[in-house]
Amino acid sequence: MQNNVKRLREERGLTQKELGEHVGVSRQAINAIETGKFDPSIWLAYDLAQFFGVTIEVLFLFQEEDRK
Amino acid sequence: MKHILKIPAINAVGLSLFTAFYALIFIVTSRHVEFVNLLYYYNRTTDIHSFWTGWSSFLASGRHALIAYALIGITILVVLMLLLRRRPYDEYHTANLLQCLAAATILTLAAIAGFYLMILSNPNGIVEKFTLFIVIHWTTVVLADLVYVFVSRWR
């Protein structure tokens, strides 16, 4: 799933590891989310959106073709 | 299910029980006279089933205990890595573990079907054939878990 996690993280000057520590997941999880290999749970998406101060819709790009 | 799999100790206990069960059987049957008597292909001279006669001789010599010792060693390594882990797995790791378990289940079901066909086509040597199936199944599970704990280290 396409998302703005990488852009927002880099805007805040954070590493993947640092962002992971803020939301309680591993660097690998953040990397997988940024590259679209892993769709986070609704709670992790919520935590990420809360951390960046945006809505989930801004953080994750909901496109019909990504629906599973 | 996902909640349980997040705890590394659960994985460690599961793998330990799995290895303990098969290791006990392999070590107890090693060089056991009754086990050797169950081997159909042992001491049979046939060129057609050379693989099975070789495998049967390997089992009769009790060297399958070496497989058990090797897999016990790998299991100890995996369990130590799991128990020394400071944090539980996150949801990404848990999703990977579920995929590994699903793949192992599918491979096992496919192997059961394959071995069933093999036994139907030639029911002789069922102990040799089923022991080979167990070796493949056991090794696959232990090595898959080893790969998983290495890949899922919290970095």
Side-chain angles (χ1 to χ4, degrees):
Chain A
M1 186 176 201
Q2 289 187 355
N3 59 74
N4 291 313
V5 173
K6 185 177 182 182
R7 181 177 62 79
L8 290 167
R9 173 179 64 77
E10 287 177 344
E11 280 177 7
R12 284 158 179 75
L14 293 169
T15 63
Q16 291 179 337
K17 187 181 177 187
E18 288 166 342
L19 175 59
E21 284 169 358
H22 278 289
V23 293
V25 295
S26 63
R27 181 200 62 77
Q28 295 157 313
I30 298 297
N31 183 56
I33 292 167
E34 287 184 356
T35 53
K37 291 177 186 168
F38 174 64
D39 291 339
S41 67
I42 191 70
W43 281 108
L44 179 53
Y46 173 77
D47 288 342
L48 285 165
Q50 286 282 102
F51 176 77
F52 289 123
V54 297
T55 61
I56 289 177
E57 289 90 339
V58 169
L59 193 56
F60 293 94
L61 309 178
F62 289 86
Q63 293 170 323
E64 198 57 38
E65 58 264 30
D66 290 333
R67 188 188 289 271
K68 290 176 181 171
Chain B
M1 183 72 175
K2 283 184 179 177
H3 183 70
I4 292 171
L5 290 176
K6 277 186 178 179
I7 306 164
I10 298 288
N11 192 347
V13 170
L15 187 68
S16 299
L17 290 174
F18 185 75
T19 291
F21 177 75
Y22 286 128
L24 182 68
I25 292 172
F26 273 47
I27 290 168
V28 166
T29 56
S30 174
R31 299 190 183 197
H32 197 289
V33 177
E34 287 181 25
F35 178 74
V36 174
N37 289 338
L38 290 172
L39 300 172
Y40 176 80
Y41 290 106
Y42 181 53
N43 276 343
R44 281 179 194 264
T45 49
T46 168
D47 291 334
I48 304 169
H49 304 293
S50 57
F51 171 76
W52 291 115
T53 51
W55 174 242
S56 195
S57 297
F58 179 84
L59 294 175
S61 67
R63 277 179 282 180
H64 56 295
L66 297 175
I67 297 173
Y69 293 132
L71 291 174
I72 288 170
I74 298 171
T75 300
I76 290 170
L77 175 66
V78 172
V79 168
L80 282 176
M81 286 183 71
L82 286 165
L83 296 180
L84 292 174
R85 191 183 168 88
R86 285 170 296 168
R87 305 181 203 188
Y89 290 118
D90 62 25
E91 61 181 70
Y92 172 64
H93 295 139
T94 311
N96 283 344
L97 181 56
L98 276 172
Q99 282 184 343
C100 286
L101 291 174
T105 303
I106 290 167
L107 285 173
T108 301
L109 292 174
I112 288 171
F115 273 84
Y116 183 54
L117 282 176
M118 194 189 293
I119 288 165
L120 283 179
S121 65
N122 180 7
N124 295 322
I126 193 165
V127 174
E128 288 97 322
K129 287 169 182 170
F130 204 75
T131 306
L132 180 64
F133 166 71
I134 294 300
V135 169
I136 293 169
H137 174 54
W138 185 14
T139 306
T140 304
V141 170
V142 172
L143 290 182
D145 220 334
L146 178 68
V147 170
Y148 172 72
V149 293
F150 266 106
V151 170
S152 299
R153 281 176 297 166
W154 194 294
R155 289 174 287 182

